[in-house]
Every structure is written in structure tokens, then in C-alpha cells.
Amino acid sequence: MSKIKKNKKNVFYDPSLKRRHFKSKLFKYFTLSSLIVSLAFLAIFFIDMVVKGSSAVQQTYVQVEVSYNEQSAENYRDAVDKKYLELLSRAVLREIPMQIKKNPSLLGTTKVAWMLADDQVDMYMKEYYYKISNKDLATLTELIENGRVEKKFNTIFFTHGDSKTPEYSGILSAMIGTILTLAVAMFVAFPIGVATAVYLEEFSEQNAWSEFLEVNINNLAAIPSILFGLLGLAIFINLFGFPRSSALVGGLTLALMTLPIIVVSSRAALRSVPATIRQAGYGLGLTKVQVVKDHVLPLAFPGIMTGSIIGLAHAMGETAPLIIVGMIAFIPDSPTSVMEAATVMPAQIFTWAGMPERAYIERTAAGILVLLTVLISLNAMAVYLRKKFEVKW
Amino acid sequence: MAKDKAKIVVKDLNLWYGDKHALHNLNIEIQKNKITALIGPSGCGKSTFLRCLNRMNDLISSVRVEGEVVIDGKNIYDKDVDEVSVRKRIGMVFQQPNPFPKSIYENVAYAPLKHGSVKKGSDCDDLVEQSLKSAGIWNEVKDILKEPGTGLSGGQQQRLCIARTIAVKPDVILMDEPTSALDPISTEKIEALMLELKKDYTIVIVTHNMQQAARIADMTAFFHLGDLIEYDETEKIFINPTHKKTEDYITGRFG
Amino acid sequence: MATFESKHRYAHLQEDVIKYLLILAATISILTTFGILFSIVFEAIEFFQLRSFVYFFTGTEWTPGVENSKFGALPIFAGTFMITAIAMAVALPIGLGSAIYMSEYASKNQRTILKPLLEILAGIPTVVYGFFAAITVAPFIVKISAAVGLEASFNSALASGVVMGIMIIPYISSLSDDVITAVPDSLRKGSLALGMTKSETIRDIVIPSALPGIISATLLGISKALGETMIVVMAAGLRPNLSWNLLEDMTTVTVRIVDALTGDQAFNSPATLSAFALGLALFFVTLVLNVVSVRMIKKFKEKYKMSSL
């Protein structure tokens, strides 16, 4: 339209349109740029997490001579040359006396080993802000020159639980805690959610009661998650006396939050099963329960699963209510039952994010990347399921 | 058919929906201050052709148009023609009445205010009144101008849409089956309105209803499968058509 | 005949048992709502027996830890309001703009990619946003402010507000996109046929038609912002601060709830119970927002006879 020239013969020439077309373009660019801004946020966010978290893939190790003798069996400070003490991870050194106790044949031996470095050394090697005394720094420089400092793949992050020393902390106990908590949540929410959906779609009549149920489920979905935490605290902990911080309490709380998601998606799945299937069942003389159980539910199952996976992903990222029921305790060892104190991935991220040591930042970001990877995989699985079993009636 | 009375001259018009050749080499001259009816069986291209006359087909990205539609001496498909300006001069009324979810007054005043052809105030009030009067609905709505246009009956809504179109002061009004969604009484009112309007406007109407074409149209064009089979005075088409296909359609042998 | 009878009766019994089990399951959701309501209400009542109800809503001092503790929640409400306002100032234009682009300008293929991409923003756990706000955005705001000669707190309301806004974008854009797409095409054609430009048609005809849905989405977004916890716990402050300065630290209802319940105060102390009084206020406000929001979308659905949203 910008090509419109002044043309006496052109009866459609209208100079006033120029401004309107300009405004129209401006409006389009405004909407486009808001979309670009949203996507840019998403990109910045992911790039930021990768940049902050990628250095956690490696962890610094220092090669030193470790001597297992009478003194070091009592005091780990004697296990290595004094000048290396500040460069090595306290958490690992502290285990030496225990190792000797467990395996007395070690006594009197020495070996050259790659020992986990202190978090400040690790920060130095990763070129972050570090705090090392000049004397230690000189020792470290010498070690580096001799090729005795190396960054290796960070297995600790995946094989250990939380620790007060950042270089020795990992996500294992939080992962186990997450699995236990979600297991409880789904064990409770899935059957109740599906049953509620079946009742509302297949059995209940359109009356005040079913309408009340429906409004209630809608509202439940909109209640801020932290209020579920208050419920968990007041009912499960104070009233029922379930152990605080346990996967049981956390799981039950999350179950109630996930319930509306499962109900809504299961109802949609049930509704998409055509009435002809039901009529065919009744035509064969089947009872309502038989029709629903043998014909309607199997057909709606993929849709129900999709919704449940999305609900699961939702529950997995939830933090606020779990903080209220105490799932932010310091948990170095993985819980072995749902009654034990546990923590979950997002709560672990929260705790690390609040730590003063610089070394926790990369671990927080790495934990976030792990969590996001799991969440995205779950959602991708849901989308795949939906695509695969999508039936056009 | 005096040449100087031709309002719209269509030359070798072809249209494709993607790969589908929907209109074939159409040539037609639409006369000023006459009602021209486009008839033919479903899918014959009559509505597609109508939309070519105000470039509404531009909204469908897969559509490609070749040929000329010359209105007042200017081909509207020329590069230097703005389709928005075309639609200002060539109004359109649709099959389903589609009043905006605004008041009756705003429905009519919206476009003229945006075009800057009137200013808010008494000028605008006059234009709204005039347009509603021309559309024959003034007496029914003059006391409820502030109420939503969507609250009117179907026939009233359609006349409101006509008023809305008139308010822009077009030369030509295109009507795409304007009465097919209405009851017989509303239809009668709209037909009477069209006969009134042709004094000031050139009207092109697509209709499924052959009686309607016979009742109101001066000229009738018969379309079939994207071809213009016959175009002549309405009486000639209905009483003594030249083509066998036209006759078959008129007498109800297909359609 | 007898076997037929008994079998029949057995089947009936089974049907009834299953039906009652289903009703029982359905009741759980109702119990949950009332569980939340009662667990909050009872503790809140206990709190208001210890401290003034009126002062809670009008007082400006919140000093839970000290002797003669005072519980005036006004600065907390104000902080919540400010951060929510910032979040909506970010989310509403960007979310609505994105929705308009997706529904009116983007091709169908683009839309099927863009929409889920935006919804990723809603799937990111809030704790992750909190980390992003605290570690990346807040220091950035401090730096920018310093560059222009302003002093910003590392717990500025602006940082948590903006990040919360990003989180809410998809809540606004997805629902708005749905309702804008549901506006009948005949209205667009009617406007374009009058010689309106595309943007005029969108602004004057399409958006007003979709307005109930857009308002509904906005209310939902506000409700999300009010109840959001992790972002503010990690990035906003603890200090009840009655101020208009977005660069200062402020606290919110949710932050104080978390703070009150993770401290080592006795459960029956007013400091701990104050969490439930704040929770009660949050519950009612979000409930009202949600009920109004559902009403509006229902109205829209009836108007355009939409079946699924």
C-alpha cells in the first residue's frame, strides 16, 4: 500500500489511509514484539540457567599423597601434607579415619590419590570469585603447574545427598524424596481423581449436587498452592499426627493439589468417547458399571494418562506447600520410607539458592537443569501419548 | 446497454484457490443504478465472483486473481490501489446478519467516524439517522439507539447492517444472499428496500432464490462451474434464455 | 429362574457399591475445600482471639518476634498489591499482544508451534523463577539503577514483580488466544467490508467482543500473582514496607506465611497463628477473583456458543 502514487485518474486514491495503514502496521509490530519479548524471556532464562549450571558438570580434584597411619586414624588432618589441607574437601578428608576403621589393612600404607578439592579451589579453577589465602594459592599454582589439579566429571552431584560442604553435595536424596513423594501423591490422587471424573461424567445427574461438585473442583484448581500447605500442616500433621517433613505428608498434600487437574482431564477424556459406544454396550444388555469399566474407560485411558502425567509434572515442580509441611530439612541421606524426613528437588533448589557459598549457585542451576529436563520429558511424553492415541470419532 | 452506464467492467477475470481454477475468464459489465442478480447452483462461483468486486478474496491467502475489475475507470487490482479504499466505495452485506457487539448507534457511526467522513456530534447523529432511515429501520430503533445491535431480530439486524454499509456512502453495494437467513416478512422488507436503494446505488446481489432474482433484478447473470453462462436482462433470462443450461436451471432441472 | 434372580440381585448390589464408592471419591474434593477453609478459619479465629481484628486490617506495624508483638497487615497487603501490579503491568500487555499476534496474524502452523512454546513458561516451577529473580534479575536491576543514580535493594519489588509477570504471561496469552479465536469471523469480515484496516478491526471489533474472556484471563492472572509464593520468598524482602518506591524491598502475604510457619515459634503463638489470618485473607480474595473469572468466561461461552474452553 506504500506504493500508492498520486494519480489523478485513480479514484481509489485516499491520502487519509496512509496514516491508518501506518497505525495498522505499528499495531502489528506491537503484537509481534510482545510475542518476541515473551519468547526472548524464555530463551534468556534457559541460557542463563545453562551458563550458570554448566560448570557443575565438572568438579576439581587434586592429586596428593594420602597416608593411612596411627595419627590419621585419629585425626584426618594428619592424612595429607599440612600445606594441602586447605585445598582439599573437608568432607572427604573426614572420612579417612572411618575408612581405616572399616578396613584396618589400610594402616601403614600410603597412596597417591585424586582427592576432591575444596569448593574455593573449584571456584578458582572455574574462574569464579574465590577466597584463598596467598600461601595456599602459591601451593595451588605449583600443583597446577605439576599437572596435579584436574577437573573431572562430577559424579558426586548424582550420587550424594545434600551436604554442608558444597563440593560434596548432590541431588540424590532429593531425587529419592521426589520419587517417594510423587508416588504417594499419584497413589492417592489418581484413583480418586479418575473415580470423581467417572462419577461426574457417567453416573451423576445434572442437579445442584453435581453442579456444586463441579464449581468446587474449579475453585480447588485456583486456590493458591501455599494454602494447601496450611491444610497439610493443620490436618495431616497436627490432626492426624503424621511425621513432619515426611514424604507421606508431602505426598498427601500434593495429591489434593493434583486432584483437580486429573479430574478435569479425565472428564474431557471420558466425554470424548462417543455415546454410540455406550449405547452399543447397553444394547448388549450390559449394566452401567460394565459398560463404563469394559468399554468407556479403556477408550478414555490414554487421555486420562496424559492428564495424569501433566498433573504429575505439576506436582513435581511444586515447592511452597512442601516448605510449609517442613520438607526443607537438611537431608544428607536418602530416605528409605515415606515416614522418614525427606526433601524434594525443588525444595533442594530452594535451600541451595539460599546458601551463602558461591559454589552452591552452579549446583542450584544444575539442579534446575535436571528438574527442567525431567519436567520437559514428562510433558513431551504426555504430548506423545495424546498424539499417538488421538482418535477422531 | 449503453457503454457509459457501465459501473463495473470485468475483463478476463480468472481466480484460483491454490491449484483449483475457480473462475474462468469472466467478462461482464455491471450497470449503474441497476440491480444485478448472480444466480447459479451451489459452488458455481457466484459468491467468489462477488467477493472479487471488493477484494474480500484478498483475505484468503491461497487465492490468486488475474484479469481486471475496472470500477469508474480504474482497475481495482492495480498495484496502486489500496484494497481498504476499494471496500470503502464498494460496500458489502453478508448472508448472516453480523452486527457488531456495540450499540445500534455505534454500529452505524463506527466506520464513518474512523474514515473521518464525519465528526462526533450532530453531524454524526444526522448521518446515523439518515442511514437508518434509508435502510428503513429508523422508526423501529430510534428510541433504542443505545441498545446493542445484537438484540434486534434477524431481519432488523440485516437492515442495520445495510444502514451501516450505507453510512460509509459507497457507490456499489454487494449483497451475498442477504435474505437467505431471514423469514418471508423480513425478506419482503429487504427486497422493497433494495428497489428503493437502487436509485442511489449500484447493487449486485447473489441469490439462491430465483423468484427473488425475478422480482427485483434488472439484470441477471447465470453462473455454472466457474463459468458465466449467460448474462442479460432478467426478463430475457427467465422467459427466453439462450442457453440450454440456463433453461434447465431456471426450470429446476438441477441446482 | 432362581439363579437368574440371585445373579440379578448380585449385579445390582455390585452396581450400587461401585456407585457409592464413586460418590465417596467425588466427596474428597469437597472435603479438601472445606478442609482448607476450616483449617485456616479455626486457626485464624484463634489468632483473632489473641490480637485485634481491626488492627490486623488497618494497622501499619507488623512486629511478630518482639514482646508486645503487633500485627498490622496493611504494609503486607500493600507490598502484595505492588508486586501484583508490577506483574500484571508486565504480563497483561505482553500476554495480550502475544495472543493477538498468534490468533490474528500468525499462520495456523506458526500458532501450533508458538502456543505450546509460550506455555513452557507456565510449566517452569516457581522455585526456578525465584532463583532467576534473586540471582539474575535483582542484581541486574541494582546495577541499572546505580547507573542512573538510583539506589535499588537486592530484594526490590521490581525484580520479583517482573519475573512474576513473565510467569503469568502464558496464563493471559493462552486463554486470550482461545477467546479471540472464538470470535466469529463474520464480525471481522463485516468490519473489513466497511473499509476498516486489519488493526482497526482487531482493536474495535474483535477485542471488545472477546473482552469477557480477556478480563477472565486477567483476573486469573491476578489471582495467580497474589498467591505466588516461591518467587517472592526468594527474591522479595521480609520487611513490611509501606512505600511507592518499586526499587525498595517489600514483603507479601505469602512471604509472611512462609516466614511465620518455618520459624521456631510455638505453634500457638500469635506469630505462628498470624500465618492463618493472612491465609484466610488470601483464600477469600483469590476465591472471589476465581468465581468472577469463571462467571465471565461462562458468559462469553454462552454468547458465542463455544463448547470447549
Side-chain angles (χ1 to χ4, degrees), chain C residues 6-188:
Chain C
S6 66
K7 221 178 187 174
H8 194 77
R9 207 178 287 156
Y10 169 73
H12 253 285
L13 187 69
Q14 194 194 24
E15 290 267 310
D16 285 346
V17 166
I18 286 179
K19 198 176 162 186
Y20 284 118
L21 279 176
L22 291 175
I23 293 177
L24 190 70
T27 316
I28 303 258
S29 75
I30 298 204
L31 286 179
T32 306
T33 312
F34 283 97
I36 288 178
L37 187 59
F38 287 131
S39 58
I40 296 173
V41 166
F42 283 140
E43 312 288 358
I45 288 173
E46 211 169 314
F47 172 78
F48 288 123
Q49 280 167 350
L50 297 168
R51 290 294 186 276
S52 154
F53 182 79
V54 176
Y55 189 76
F56 180 78
F57 287 101
T58 56
T60 56
E61 270 184 83
W62 186 273
T63 53
V66 301
E67 211 148 317
N68 279 327
S69 52
K70 284 185 172 166
F71 294 92
L74 212 55
I76 299 176
F77 294 144
T80 310
F81 172 78
M82 286 298 276
I83 290 177
T84 301
I86 298 167
M88 293 316 290
V90 172
L92 194 56
I94 296 181
L96 191 55
S98 306
I100 292 172
Y101 188 83
M102 286 192 293
S103 53
E104 296 288 328
Y105 294 109
S107 71
K108 221 176 182 175
N109 285 336
Q110 287 171 328
R111 187 166 170 255
T112 50
I113 297 170
L114 289 172
K115 210 174 173 188
L117 213 54
L118 268 193
E119 278 164 4
I120 293 181
L121 282 173
I124 295 174
T126 53
V127 66
V128 177
Y129 278 113
F131 178 70
F132 183 63
I135 302 291
T136 307
V137 180
F140 180 72
I141 286 174
V142 171
K143 226 185 262 172
I144 294 284
S145 308
V148 296
L150 290 169
E151 200 185 328
S153 159
F154 273 96
N155 295 326
S156 66
L158 191 59
S160 33
V162 167
V163 174
M164 204 187 272
I166 298 174
M167 181 195 89
I168 291 168
I169 289 172
Y171 292 95
I172 306 276
S173 68
S174 268
L175 191 55
S176 300
D177 173 73
D178 286 343
V179 290
I180 292 172
T181 311
V183 171
D185 224 23
S186 66
L187 290 179
R188 291 184 187 83

Side-chain angles (χ1 to χ4, degrees), chain A residues 135-154:
Chain A
K135 204 180 101 212
D136 290 332
L137 199 57
T139 320
L140 181 61
T141 323
E142 193 192 312
L143 281 171
I144 294 171
E145 275 163 12
N146 293 334
R148 288 170 64 189
V149 180
E150 235 174 58
K151 284 195 279 183
K152 297 172 189 267
F153 181 73
N154 187 357

